[in-house]
Amino acid sequence: MSSTTLMRRELAVVDQASQPNNCTTCAKPLDRFFSGHICTGCMRPQPLSPSEDYFSALGLKRRFKQDINEIENRFYGISRVLHPDRYGTANDDKRNLSIQRMGFLNDAYRIIKDPALRREYIISLEGIKVSGDGIPLELAEFWLEIKESNNEEEFIRFENELAFYGKRSRQTIVGLEDEIDSAFERADNKAATDLLKKLALKVQEQNYLDSLARDCERVRAIHVYPDPDKK
């Protein structure tokens, strides 16, 4: 069996509808998920399009909730036919297109499989700009009061408050993501945009809380406070 025939069989493993297009070389319609990457007619990797994003590269809907197994299956399925090693004897054009597409696919896999990176990516794709301050002022002021002190009791109280804020913030983020996914399914763009703005502010808050948690670890090390979780 020739390598071209084998590749065509592998291309048929995943069959998901995508936006119709034509191969830039042989003009064959590219109406399937895999053929958006590689033409099933002439086996030429397709140039990257400005309309592509990391979700479309993996044949996924733009959603916060994703199945990690599906992400991995799609990534490795495409990689088997797109990897530059498959084009070692091809001309420079095919080889370069393979390298470009594989790089894009690697980035897509790295971002989409990570919930935090996926969240930030969706916010950026939707063009949401954070306006306002997502930092809880009372916690910031409390931190300024105790971070230079040697008051272990106050420090532990601050850590407890930080844990409370962090838990509440993460729960809110999960709830907002569920609401946004529902708005995406309904094609309710206005509701999705409003919710994404709230999510962006909450993510800003969570990033600040995570930064405070790292600062607490450094202060605890400097003042040799015992870790209450390890008692």
Side-chain angles (χ1 to χ4, degrees):
M1 182 184 298
S2 71
S3 61
T4 298
T5 301
L6 180 61
M7 288 177 72
R8 285 198 175 97
R9 287 190 176 183
E10 290 173 336
L11 284 169
V13 172
V14 176
D15 178 9
Q16 175 165 318
S18 60
Q19 291 299 316
N21 206 338
N22 293 325
C23 174
T24 56
T25 299
C26 69
K28 178 182 174 67
L30 305 176
D31 56 356
R32 298 183 186 278
F33 168 53
F34 262 121
S35 62
H37 292 280
I38 304 172
C39 175
T40 55
C42 65
M43 306 309 298
R44 179 178 184 266
Q46 297 300 294
L48 289 172
S49 164
S51 64
E52 292 182 83
D53 59 42
Y54 293 157
F55 288 97
S56 65
L58 293 166
L60 300 169
K61 291 183 178 180
R62 189 179 299 185
R63 300 291 185 269
F64 290 100
K65 294 293 186 297
Q66 297 288 342
D67 183 337
I68 186 63
N69 290 326
E70 183 178 12
I71 293 172
E72 290 179 350
N73 288 338
R74 289 178 179 277
F75 171 72
Y76 290 115
I78 305 166
S79 298
R80 281 195 294 271
V81 294
L82 186 63
H83 198 280
D85 287 351
R86 302 293 294 266
Y87 293 88
T89 59
N91 59 38
D92 289 345
D93 176 58
K94 284 187 176 181
R95 190 161 51 251
N96 290 336
L97 286 171
S98 170
I99 291 170
Q100 292 170 11
R101 274 214 163 266
M102 197 64 221
F104 188 74
L105 188 66
N106 282 330
D107 289 340
Y109 178 64
R110 177 178 60 84
I111 295 293
I112 302 304
K113 75 175 181 177
D114 183 287
L117 295 178
R118 181 166 69 241
R119 180 184 304 126
E120 294 179 358
Y121 183 61
I122 290 179
I123 291 173
S124 69
L125 279 180
E126 297 296 329
I128 302 300
K129 304 295 183 182
V130 175
S131 60
D133 196 346
I135 297 173
L137 292 179
E138 62 272 29
L139 197 63
E141 291 171 354
F142 190 9
W143 175 242
L144 289 174
E145 290 176 8
I146 62 98
K147 71 175 182 178
E148 299 297 338
S149 72
N150 285 318
N151 190 321
E152 182 179 352
E153 183 177 334
E154 286 294 291
F155 182 79
I156 292 174
R157 187 164 71 89
F158 174 80
E159 282 190 314
N160 290 336
E161 288 203 25
L162 180 60
F164 168 77
Y165 274 99
K167 180 179 179 180
R168 187 178 66 179
S169 176
R170 287 188 292 272
Q171 290 173 340
T172 301
I173 286 173
V174 171
L176 284 169
E177 289 180 344
D178 288 342
E179 291 186 63
I180 295 167
D181 279 352
S182 294
F184 282 155
E185 288 290 342
R186 300 191 310 269
D188 189 341
N189 293 333
K190 183 181 185 308
T193 298
D194 291 342
L195 290 166
L196 279 162
K197 290 177 180 177
K198 294 179 181 179
L199 177 64
L201 279 173
K202 189 56 63 173
V203 169
Q204 182 188 63
E205 176 185 292
Q206 187 60 53
N207 288 340
Y208 175 71
L209 295 175
D210 291 342
S211 175
L212 279 183
R214 291 190 293 270
D215 287 343
C216 281
E217 291 178 359
R218 286 191 286 269
V219 170
R220 180 177 290 282
I222 291 172
H223 294 297
V224 201
Y225 293 148
D227 189 335
D229 293 332
K230 296 182 180 180
K231 286 184 177 179

